Amino acid sequence: MRLAQVAEAFRRLREANPDPTTELEYSSPYQLLVAVVLSAQATDKGVNLATRRLFPLAPTPEAMVDLGEEGIAEQIKTIGLYRNKAKHTLALSRQLLERHAGEVPRQREALEALPGVGRKTANVVLNTVFGEPTMAVDTHIFRLSNRTGLAPGKDVLEVEQRLLRRIPAEYKLNAHHWLILHGRYVCTARAPKCGACSLRDLCQYRDKTD
């Protein structure tokens, strides 16, 4: 896409959904951090079902540590890789208490130093909690960026960097959410809904569906 087309694409996305947000359910920065860690290779719907059991029992890092690894695993066993995620959740909760007084840090380096937290998770927290104009590239955004010509790249970091260069400043704060939702519900992996896509005339995909 040309830069003018990129700007028009985000103008349309904003017009359709002025205030997008994550579909993960949470009541605090800590709970969002845990939910994003749990969301690896799992759907937001599946994570929400698990955290509706987990968070009433352990809404804070202190309570999560008290619940323990087996207790955490029992509450999240419906999602994939739940045993490994239980270990990470317990370990990151301890580290928050030991190094950050139980608060979620705002610095990328500190976030990425937490067990189970990579660049994508850090970007989600920085964007959703702290209002940083970051871009967390998941499978939906990676696919959409390459398929449409919005910001093609060979890996997620290249796509992230190109998106941040190409998206106009006024759209950067919410761009992550707009693209995830568009990739999740319209520009789907196997059968993109091109006929219902508001970006169809801007999109560079050559095999559009009817």
Side-chain angles (χ1 to χ4, degrees), residues 57-209:
L57 296 175
T60 64
E62 295 91 342
M64 196 71 74
V65 170
D66 289 342
L67 184 60
E69 185 177 325
E70 287 303 315
I72 297 169
E74 179 63 25
Q75 301 308 315
I76 67 170
K77 63 184 180 182
T78 54
I79 60 177
L81 306 173
Y82 75 95
R83 291 204 173 275
N84 201 40
K85 291 176 181 179
K87 289 180 182 178
H88 285 153
T89 300
L90 178 61
L92 75 84
S93 300
R94 283 179 173 153
Q95 194 160 308
L96 286 176
L97 292 169
E98 292 168 0
R99 302 185 186 179
H100 305 287
E103 299 296 323
V104 175
R106 185 167 187 163
Q107 299 76 25
R108 174 185 297 281
E109 295 77 12
L111 283 168
E112 291 187 17
L114 295 168
V117 177
R119 185 177 182 86
K120 185 185 77 171
T121 297
N123 278 337
V124 172
V125 173
L126 289 170
N127 178 262
T128 305
V129 174
F130 298 113
E132 301 282 347
T134 57
M135 179 60 60
V137 178
D138 68 349
T139 55
H140 297 299
I141 294 180
F142 183 78
R143 177 182 67 250
L144 185 155
S145 297
N146 278 285
R147 177 187 278 167
T148 65
L150 178 64
K154 63 182 182 298
D155 55 43
V156 292
L157 183 58
E158 184 175 5
V159 168
E160 175 188 332
Q161 292 170 340
R162 286 189 173 180
L163 285 169
L164 290 173
R165 286 198 302 268
R166 307 196 82 218
I167 297 171
E170 65 181 296
Y171 302 116
K172 281 184 180 178
L173 179 60
N174 291 318
H176 159 72
H177 296 302
W178 283 320
L179 293 180
I180 281 183
L181 293 171
H182 196 73
R184 184 174 291 165
Y185 297 112
V186 182
C187 195
T188 51
R190 294 185 180 179
K193 300 176 177 64
C194 300
C197 180
S198 62
L199 312 181
R200 180 185 176 103
D201 59 314
L202 306 173
C203 175
Q204 306 297 304
Y205 186 47
R206 285 186 281 184
D207 299 319
K208 293 184 178 74
T209 61

Side-chain angles (χ1 to χ4, degrees), residues 1-20:
M1 287 188 194
R2 299 188 302 275
L3 292 180
Q5 292 175 307
V6 173
E8 173 61 15
F10 281 98
R11 186 197 67 78
R12 295 180 190 180
L13 291 171
R14 181 174 67 181
E15 184 176 54
N17 186 4
D19 298 301

